Amino acid sequence: MAGAHEPTADRYDPIEVETRWRARWEREPLPSVDLDHAEPAVKFYNLVEFPYPSAEGLHVGHVYTYCGADTFGRYMRMRGRHVFQPMGFDSFGIHTENYALKVGENPRALTERTVANYRSLLGRLGAAWDWDHEVVTSDPSYYRWTQWVFLQLFRAGLAVREEAPVVWCPSCLTVLAHEQVEGDRCERCDTRVTERLMLQWFLRITAYAEQLLDRLDVLDWPEAAKRGQREWIGRSRGMEIDFAVEGSPDPLTVFTTRPDTLYGATYLAVSPTHPLVEASTAGDGPVASVRDWLGSPEAERTPGVAIGAFARGPFGGEPLPIFAAGYVVAAYGTGAVMGVPAHDERDLVFARGMGLPVAPASGQPSAASPEAIADRLEEAGLGRRATRYRLHDWLISRQRYWGPPIPIVHCDACGIVPVPEEDLPVLLPDVEDVRPTGSGLSPLAAVESFVSTTCPTCGGPARRETDVSDTFLDSAWYFLRFPSSDVSDRPWDQERTARMLPVDQYAGGKEHVMRHHLYARFVTAALHDLGHVPIAEPFPRLRLHGLLIKDGAKMSKSRGNVVDPDDYLRTVGADALRASLLFCGPWEEGGDFSDRALQGVVRFTRRAWRLIADDHPSGPGGVDLRPVDRAVAAVGRDIERLKFNTAISALMDLARWARANRAAMSADEWSRTARAFVLLLAPFAPHLAEELWARLGGGYSVHAEAWPSFDRSAVEDDEVTLVVQVNGRVRDRLVVRRGLDRDAAIEAAMTSERIRSLLEGGPPLRVVHVPDRLVNLIP
Ligand code: ANZ
Ligand code: ZN
């Protein structure tokens, strides 16, 4: 390395070092996993959520995730695993489209620009992405297979078109998935949503509810994520009970979890879109049309409307009036309930609002158990035990432009016909005006050359489906595509898939638990049942990062404290950014990214540079090197637990100790210490470690070296329990490394959330430290 950029030992220029090593990595890529020969036990599929490339640039939350995942991946590589760490872009969807509309640009052109921008930023993080396996979901070579996945589900009866009440956003002019609604508002634009009846495509995720729920138990996931999915799927065991509707041959079936309250029912209620409502409003009964009620201001004031019909319970009693009520959800249970105001809070509110009696006029109060009642109802053939789920089928129709066209043709003679697989992809045509029409139809409906086609079955004139599919379908299978991204005639290569999947660790954000993670599990399970993939669970191990805050406050545009990773990459460089993000706190808990902490890490990188890059004159030797063994053990253990923060502080301790003892070390002792230090540094500060390794005379590349081993006897009794007091009162106990000095003990104490909050964020005024036993902080 000669020439103008020759670095000097006294000056560390991170930008120069990083640029130089990244160029080398590009020229001479690190050995990567051999996808066709890797042993399943040796490969490590290190997956991290791929971003949707927004115009605003890479969010620091993403960068935080990537730094953690890359550090972990580099560590696994040094532990001998063949790491596969791909990256790509979730570039279809409403995010991109809405932004394109806002700035008046074509989504295709916008996506090309944002993807290029993201690629460059992601490259500058110094993460070991396997760019040879990049996927871009809006590319026809990718969405061809998204359409293929849809067709497999369609053939299996798991993709169905149904008229259904759907949630409509009057501002985005599109149907929203249940999950895109927060309260009664569109999560994207905060407009109050309305309801519409439309023909829509659904994926029958509910058919997998039981499986998805049961297998959660065996997944190595954070408990909170499992709980989240469990509640979201929402298994409810209860009964369907039939009520005889006067003057109708068909009973009205309700779903209840409390059959024992049957005798307390005073009315029945159905959702406003229930078939019984349609029937009663079609006749000339005494009721005003429920539709009229729904559309009128009256609907704001009263919780429901009587539909003029009555029904009798299975064990007799007075006829009960039937209402259409806003609180009955069409898509849950049977869309009908028995109202028991004496036992159920929501029923009580409704009864009061409608001026109904709260207790039944007649009927025997029952002390029978739910089981006894259920048995009696089943014997009489008037009810059945039933399990219901909160989970809804997954609405994937989008009346938008920027997505994969759903590969279906509508023929008057043949009905709904799937596009033959060999005709995929159904290309998304270029369209002048991509604005949603508001008619409920996608802008594609206006493109005659796209819409009019011939029926694949009968050859007659036919029309293409004009809905595109939900972006979450794109990301529900991308991890299957990564290893096979170079395969063009199949969605994935069977043998590679068998070798490389499942993902060994999936790193991402909590916000994806209910949707992306669930959808990916469903699609994988369905493809597994159809014989396309050998695994039923894509992500046996999931890890979710915590929230990063900035200087003690949540990052927000209005506060103006949003960290732009680009600024840091340009000023302090990737290594310092990576290490300082990871130093903020335990990765799964997040932490405070402050400029002060950043400066601390920057100083550490400079000290590390001087420690290694300066010449080392040999000392007398005989130095006890056990602190090196302890550091090797501690850093490895902490990385495995994703406690990168304490791993970095162990590294800082090692550097401090090495500096203090260096003059006494023999050449061999120094060599062992320096090499171990640089190897431990490599996952966190990959460029700096590469440079220092070369200066120590190590070969290219430090990232292909083995993680150092350590002498077990040196680390035995390595951990002690440190009692942490505040003002003399015991407030926490922490398991820490033996031999922490005063500063390190304080630092360890400050990693405790409780202690930090007791000290209200400030440093302690006075400290009493009993090594390996106690630290007492006096604020
Ligand atoms: C009578 C009753 C009495 C009920 C009582 C509860 C308590 P989970 O546990 O969430 O499944 N319900 C059934 N279908 C509904 C729908 N489509 N929209 C709104 N509410 C519905 O709740 C089941 C209970 O929610 C059912 O049991 C029903 O009210 C109501 F003391 O029946 B219950
Ligand atoms: Zn036909």
Side-chain angles (χ1 to χ4, degrees), residues 79-93:
R79 293 301 302 265
R81 301 292 286 266
H82 295 188
V83 176
F84 180 51
Q85 187 177 307
M87 184 38 83
F89 303 96
D90 193 8
S91 47
F92 258 150

Side-chain angles (χ1 to χ4, degrees), residues 708-754:
S709 53
F710 59 87
D711 177 359
R712 268 193 197 279
S713 66
V715 298
E716 239 136 59
D717 264 341
D718 178 37
E719 291 185 335
V720 292
T721 301
L722 185 71
V723 172
V724 185
Q725 298 182 333
V726 174
N727 256 338
R729 289 186 58 189
V730 177
R731 296 299 195 169
D732 209 345
R733 286 191 166 78
L734 301 170
V735 177
V736 298
R737 273 172 301 116
R738 180 182 290 283
L740 292 194
D741 63 15
R742 196 183 120 102
D743 285 353
I746 299 172
E747 205 173 282
M750 298 298 277
T751 62
S752 157
E753 183 68 58
R754 279 187 70 193

